[in-house]
Amino acid sequence: MAKIAVMGDYDSIYGFSALGLSIFPIRDNDEEEASRIFRNLAENDFGIIYITEELAAVISREIAKYRDCPEPAVILIPGIHGNTGEGIAGVKKTVEQAVGSDILFSNE
């Protein structure tokens, strides 16, 4: 069974451990450490990886390597420093691909 991981700064992710998710705090958005941990999670039975938008921006090249793979599903979440909009943009793009059009577009 696939496991669920959460990556980001400790303050943004510690609450997820109460839900039974595996948390992986990254100190100071260390690119090398974050890339290594992300790669390890992606290759070792983690089907879903939640990652703060801020950290995802730091390791975007590593995340891109798994973009066309069915697993892991990489889901961006806002951190304590705010929402960058990347998570919502990612969901919007996925919906557009599935539906075939922009569902938020309005002709009004």
Side-chain angles (χ1 to χ4, degrees), residues 39-61:
R39 196 170 30 257
N40 187 39
L41 295 172
E43 295 172 2
N44 287 297
D45 216 19
F46 280 86
I48 301 172
I49 302 173
Y50 290 100
I51 185 168
T52 59
E53 293 172 332
E54 188 176 9
L55 183 59
V58 172
I59 62 166
S60 60
R61 288 183 299 216

Side-chain angles (χ1 to χ4, degrees), residues 6-107:
V6 185
M7 293 179 64
D9 61 279
Y10 181 79
D11 291 336
S12 294
I13 68 170
Y14 73 92
F16 287 95
S17 64
L19 300 173
L21 306 182
S22 301
I23 64 168
F24 297 88
I26 308 298
R27 185 179 300 259
D28 300 322
N29 284 331
D30 182 315
E31 181 178 2
E32 184 178 321
E33 177 187 17
S35 292
R36 179 180 48 78
I37 289 173
F38 181 85
R39 196 170 30 257
N40 187 39
L41 295 172
E43 295 172 2
N44 287 297
D45 216 19
F46 280 86
I48 301 172
I49 302 173
Y50 290 100
I51 185 168
T52 59
E53 293 172 332
E54 188 176 9
L55 183 59
V58 172
I59 62 166
S60 60
R61 288 183 299 216
E62 192 65 42
I63 293 171
K65 294 176 185 176
Y66 296 90
R67 187 157 293 141
D68 294 328
C69 299
E71 284 189 350
V74 179
I75 302 167
L76 305 186
I77 59 174
I80 62 168
H81 302 294
N83 183 350
T84 66
E86 288 297 316
I88 292 173
V91 170
K92 183 177 180 232
K93 180 179 178 185
T94 302
V95 170
E96 285 176 11
Q97 289 173 335
V99 175
S101 67
D102 183 354
I103 63 169
L104 298 178
F105 178 73
S106 175
N107 286 334

